[in-house]
Amino acid sequence: MIRIGIIGFGYMGAFHLEKAKRFDDMQVVCAFDTAEEKRQKAAEAGMRAYDNLEDFLKEELELAVICTPNQWHAQYAIAAMKSGKHVLCEKPAVMSVKELEEVIRVSEETGKFYTVHQQRRFDPDYRVVRDVIRSGEIGRVSTIESRVLGERGVCFGWRADPESGGGMLYDWGVHLIDQILTLYPEEKVTSVYARILSVLTPAVDDLFEVTMNLSNGVAARVNVGTFALQKLPRWFVFGDRGTLKLDDFTGTAGGAARIRGEVQGFDSVLGKTSLGPSRTMAPLKPEFLEKLELPEEEDMTMAYWQQLHEALLGKEKPLVTTGQILRQMKIVEAAFESSRKNEVIKKEI
Ligand SMILES: NC(=O)c1ccc[n+]([C@@H]2O[C@H](COP(=O)([O-])OP(=O)(O)OC[C@H]3O[C@@H](n4cnc5c(N)ncnc54)[C@H](O)[C@@H]3O)[C@@H](O)[C@H]2O)c1
């Protein structure tokens, strides 16, 4: 039996319990949470519930799953590895590159793995984008827009608190950055430019744009906002033969199209456009357009945990590596620096 303990039995703690339950040879035996009400929930779910880390760490566990607010991730991960447990940590892994370097050092010293829950690598929309780009059907990609917009405005709870690691760059930003980095694993980020704002939640960022320029010439822009009452697509990809747009997370809403034959210059256009007088921006005649079928993606909602299961059995390495997380954290830091200075940060990451 693979014995597991959860630190922080809130929303994501409960999520991981449900995943672990799907495996016959896994058991979540205990939880540590500072809130009485959450300990009660853990006890109701048949787990031993602790109100302090020390007692929790006395349990013999193969894996500690860390699901607390962000500022506790590094210290709990270090303590868990030092007491002989592998670690699955929620994102964001840590709050800084410095913290992560210490976590990696302890992982190497103890021989315990430290991995991060970047499960959005398995989201269907992301896999559609990846497959369409890799198919070459829309040609050479120049720009990728990846966006998540909400309507609720103000961040709530610890997410509104800077001490707890609140703010949207640590929250959604790390998922979107991770997706871009895994889309082009061989490429370096050559520069970062960011605009990070607090619009409705005073102490933390709730609207940001981060542009990463990659060594293959692609510019990837990730954009998150908590208050947008009109819709923009989740993904928009410009290729030199076609275009991809995905509206949401399903990966089925939206469309892709490519040009038939050669790109038509504006000299070939007659008549008016919906944008007023312009030949450059006039629509193509339908016979020059080819609609592309979006690839159908299989359900991979268990894929992350399946891979983790194999890693715990020693059959595979954890999917999300410390090297990948280090790059991600360096980009987060470059983004904060860029926004603070209003400068492009030129660094190979
Ligand atoms: N991977 C994802 O898609 C995803 C989605 C949501 C949240 N998250 C991450 O999961 C983590 C938890 O987020 P959440 O939405 O579940 O938050 P939450 O507020 O629902 O749960 C946090 C839990 O931690 C407990 N806690 C707080 N301080 C603690 C401490 N010092 N020691 C022990 N327990 C403590 C709280 O009582 C609460 O039960 C965050 O790091 C967040 O970024 C990841």
Side-chain angles (χ1 to χ4, degrees):
M1 199 48 92
I2 300 171
R3 292 158 54 88
I4 299 171
I6 295 176
I7 307 183
F9 195 55
Y11 180 79
M12 286 313 286
F15 171 97
H16 287 295
L17 172 64
E18 289 310 310
K19 295 286 179 191
K21 275 187 186 167
R22 305 275 293 271
F23 297 86
D24 292 340
D25 60 349
M26 282 183 159
Q27 194 182 7
V28 182
V29 295
C30 60
F32 154 43
D33 200 297
T34 46
E36 164 69 33
E37 153 215 354
K38 298 297 168 57
R39 291 198 296 276
Q40 210 166 321
K41 275 198 172 163
E44 282 162 19
M47 300 145 74
R48 282 181 291 283
Y50 296 102
D51 64 1
N52 69 86
L53 183 67
E54 216 186 352
D55 288 341
F56 172 89
L57 291 179
K58 285 183 193 149
E59 290 265 1
E60 267 189 34
L61 306 171
E62 272 72 56
L63 181 73
V65 183
I66 301 176
C67 307
T68 61
N70 304 335
Q71 91 270 34
W72 303 101
H73 291 183
Q75 66 193 80
Y76 286 173
I78 288 171
M81 288 187 288
K82 282 188 172 170
S83 71
K85 294 146 181 71
H86 295 298
V87 168
L88 165 61
C89 187
E90 262 306 340
K91 49 47 62 175
V94 289
M95 305 279 298
S96 69
V97 169
K98 194 162 169 259
E99 273 189 349
L100 185 58
E101 284 170 346
E102 181 59 10
V103 169
I104 294 173
R105 199 187 60 71
V106 173
S107 170
E108 285 166 359
E109 190 181 278
T110 57
K112 294 293 152 189
F113 73 65
Y114 169 83
T115 193
V116 180
H117 191 223
Q118 300 290 169
Q119 85 286 11
R120 290 195 175 277
R121 293 183 189 183
F122 294 108
D123 281 4
D125 59 314
Y126 168 68
R127 284 180 286 133
V128 168
V129 170
R130 185 196 60 192
D131 293 349
V132 170
I133 291 176
R134 290 190 185 162
S135 74
E137 291 197 284
I138 61 169
R140 195 163 52 82
V141 169
S142 56
T143 305
I144 301 173
E145 291 176 13
S146 164
R147 183 183 296 105
V148 172
L149 299 178
E151 297 186 352
R152 297 298 178 101
V154 183
C155 298
F156 66 96
W158 61 263
R159 283 179 175 78
D161 171 28
E163 297 285 301
S164 307
M168 286 296 115
L169 188 55
Y170 281 130
D171 200 58
W172 273 96
V174 294
H175 277 308
L176 305 192
I177 291 169
D178 183 70
Q179 287 180 331
I180 297 297
L181 295 182
T182 43
L183 197 53
Y184 293 109
E186 307 303 324
E187 303 299 328
K188 295 280 182 206
V189 173
T190 55
S191 67
V192 174
Y193 179 70
R195 195 159 175 266
I196 304 173
L197 306 173
S198 304
V199 179
L200 292 166
T201 314
V204 297
D205 60 286
D206 54 10
L207 176 66
F208 71 76
E209 298 168 3
V210 177
T211 301
M212 291 165 276
N213 290 299
L214 306 182
S215 45
N216 59 358
V218 172
R221 188 169 76 114
V222 301
N223 168 215
V224 171
T226 56
F227 188 65
L229 303 185
Q230 299 293 331
K231 300 287 169 222
L232 279 168
R234 166 75 184 87
W235 293 93
F236 202 93
V237 183
F238 293 83
D240 67 358
R241 302 284 306 165
T243 312
L244 167 68
K245 173 173 88 85
L246 291 182
D247 294 332
D248 57 29
F249 288 87
T250 61
T252 55
R258 57 182 269 134
I259 195 153
R260 278 189 216 278
E262 290 310 307
V263 176
Q264 300 294 306
F266 61 75
D267 266 353
S268 61
V269 176
L270 292 174
K272 286 187 183 158
T273 83
S274 59
L275 294 162
S278 168
R279 287 168 298 170
T280 319
M281 299 302 167
L284 274 174
K285 290 184 184 151
E287 60 266 32
F288 290 117
L289 268 181
E290 183 187 345
K291 203 174 154 224
L292 299 172
E293 290 297 320
L294 294 176
E296 273 181 38
E297 302 293 341
E298 60 180 313
D299 175 23
M300 294 192 83
T301 43
M302 281 306 291
Y304 186 93
W305 264 84
Q306 261 148 7
Q307 214 277 343
L308 178 70
H309 178 254
E310 296 302 289
L312 286 163
L313 294 175
K315 293 183 181 168
E316 281 185 30
K317 295 250 181 270
L319 175 78
V320 179
T321 67
T322 50
Q324 291 167 348
I325 295 302
L326 194 56
R327 285 186 76 202
Q328 183 197 99
M329 271 297 131
K330 286 181 177 174
I331 289 166
V332 167
E333 286 197 352
F336 278 123
E337 184 187 347
S338 166
S339 183
R340 202 171 54 246
K341 296 181 173 166
N342 188 22
E343 277 176 14
V344 176
I345 306 300
K346 288 193 179 163
K347 250 186 208 165
E348 195 170 271
I349 300 174

